[in-house]
Amino acid sequence: MAELAKHHDIFIGRFSAMASPCELLIETVDEDLARRCLAIAESEARRIEHKFSRYLDNNIVCQINNAGASVITVDDETAALLDYADQCFQLSDGLFDITSGVLRRAWRFGGTGTIPTQSQLDELLPQVGWNRVNWNAPEIQVPEGMELDLGGIGKEYAVDRVTALLRQHAVGTSIVVNFGGDLAITSKPLNRPGWRIGIADPCPDHSEPAQSATEPATTEIIELANGAMTTSGDAHRYIMHKSVRYGHILDPRTGWPAANAPTSVTVLADTCLEAGILSTLAILKGGGAENFLAENNARYWVMRNN
């Protein structure tokens, strides 16, 4: 159930979707407008979740993953997402791979526990590899035993879609669209130089995720007037094993987290999709995260535990 509250000169709308707290910060005194914006955002977020979540039945991802190597024809929206995933796979030399979700069968990121054996990963790795998928839009054929997982881009895509819709339906109103820390801004605010956005504390002892884009962060506050921002890292999903921290972002080529990976990478970009892929790949670059982001002319913040 979505909730709307007034806070000084803005309305704050909240609901839950895609296993994340979703929030709108709406710079308006018009409550009817704020309610319409919240309804649009919630409706679109739930539409995308229902269509692309691998946890739900009877959607296109379920159909593809259960096709038994049969050819499936997809709609234009799904084709565009698969084209984007293909582009990310090619440009990253396989570091970003939407077939790598099967690795979750070996990993349980609950803070403590055991790590998989190499033999467990070796059993799963043959089921990973976008280059083995036959993708010729609008038709896709996934080898039997493999599966697609759009979770690596789904939330960022939802933020960009909602932002675009709100720009159409609330022209000139500045709105922060924040889905679990991945966020975008519809337009420059009128009553402030920018929105004050906190970067979540990535320290190992931090136990509560940030619930608000305006919530003060212990690390850094960014004043953002437009564009998008994402943060990738292992603040909430990791395993501590024999004093070694294993983050949940896995190299699809090895099944292991990257060595010497940052604890947190925050990236600013024009869209949430663009920021998200850069922050994710930076984690997978491990010790080379900063060089990778600099080479891509990104505006970024990298945090490490050491």
Side-chain angles (χ1 to χ4, degrees):
M1 178 72 73
E3 298 178 349
L4 184 71
K6 194 170 189 305
H7 182 72
H8 300 301
D9 62 340
I10 66 171
F11 278 94
I12 303 175
R14 292 193 176 102
F15 59 93
S16 295
M18 296 175 283
S20 296
C22 300
E23 180 185 76
L24 299 185
L25 306 181
I26 310 165
E27 189 185 47
T28 184
V29 295
D30 184 340
E31 182 171 347
D32 289 339
L33 174 64
R35 290 196 180 281
R36 290 198 300 273
C37 291
L38 181 57
I40 290 169
E42 183 181 20
S43 175
E44 182 66 359
R46 298 205 186 286
R47 182 191 72 80
I48 291 171
E49 180 179 26
H50 292 157
K51 183 170 182 176
F52 295 118
S53 173
R54 65 176 164 79
Y55 296 106
L56 300 177
D57 295 331
N58 301 320
N59 64 17
I60 186 61
V61 174
C62 177
Q63 186 181 0
I64 293 171
N65 289 343
N66 291 280
S70 297
V71 174
I72 300 293
T73 301
V74 304
D75 63 282
D76 290 346
E77 183 182 35
T78 304
L81 270 180
L82 293 176
D83 278 343
Y84 181 74
D86 176 65
Q87 182 182 22
C88 292
F89 177 85
Q90 304 300 338
L91 292 175
S92 69
D93 293 326
L95 266 183
F96 181 84
D97 192 327
I98 61 172
T99 69
S100 64
V102 295
L103 295 172
R104 70 181 180 277
R105 298 173 189 169
W107 289 90
R108 297 287 185 272
F109 295 102
T112 58
T114 59
I115 61 173
T117 63
Q118 186 59 52
S119 62
Q120 288 176 305
L121 295 175
D122 288 342
E123 288 182 8
L124 293 172
L125 286 173
Q127 300 171 50
V128 178
W130 172 256
N131 55 322
R132 296 176 55 208
V133 173
N134 185 7
W135 168 236
N136 185 19
E139 294 183 337
I140 188 167
Q141 183 181 34
V142 178
E144 193 158 9
M146 293 179 63
E147 62 181 46
L148 303 188
D149 181 353
L150 295 173
I153 54 177
K155 188 148 57 74
E156 292 88 342
Y157 174 69
V159 170
D160 286 341
R161 278 285 307 160
V162 168
T163 301
L165 287 173
L166 293 178
R167 283 176 180 147
Q168 296 173 16
H169 292 274
V171 177
T173 302
S174 184
I175 305 170
V176 179
V177 180
N178 176 14
F179 291 179
D182 295 333
L183 61 89
I185 298 173
T186 59
S187 62
K188 187 177 184 301
L190 299 177
N191 301 326
R192 49 183 58 77
W195 294 95
R196 289 171 56 80
I197 309 295
I199 297 178
D201 184 352
C203 76
D205 294 333
H206 193 271
S207 59
E208 294 295 331
Q211 297 295 309
S212 167
T214 57
E215 182 179 85
T218 58
T219 53
E220 188 131 11
I221 299 288
I222 301 170
E223 196 166 79
L224 196 61
N226 51 47
M229 183 181 95
T230 64
T231 297
S232 298
D234 63 6
H236 309 297
R237 295 183 63 203
Y238 63 91
I239 295 174
M240 285 298 295
H241 180 74
K242 295 183 178 179
S243 301
V244 177
R245 187 182 178 93
Y246 295 84
H248 75 282
I249 299 176
L250 304 173
D251 187 330
R253 303 168 303 185
T254 67
W256 293 95
N260 197 26
T263 302
S264 171
V265 174
T266 297
V267 174
L268 304 186
D270 290 340
T271 68
C272 213
L273 273 174
E274 182 183 353
I277 194 65
L278 286 172
S279 58
T280 298
L281 290 179
I283 293 287
L284 290 169
K285 291 290 183 179
E290 291 88 345
N291 287 341
F292 166 77
L293 292 165
E295 290 168 357
N296 283 276
N297 299 314
R299 187 181 176 194
Y300 65 91
W301 291 259
V302 172
M303 300 175 196
R304 297 179 180 275
N305 272 333
N306 49 25

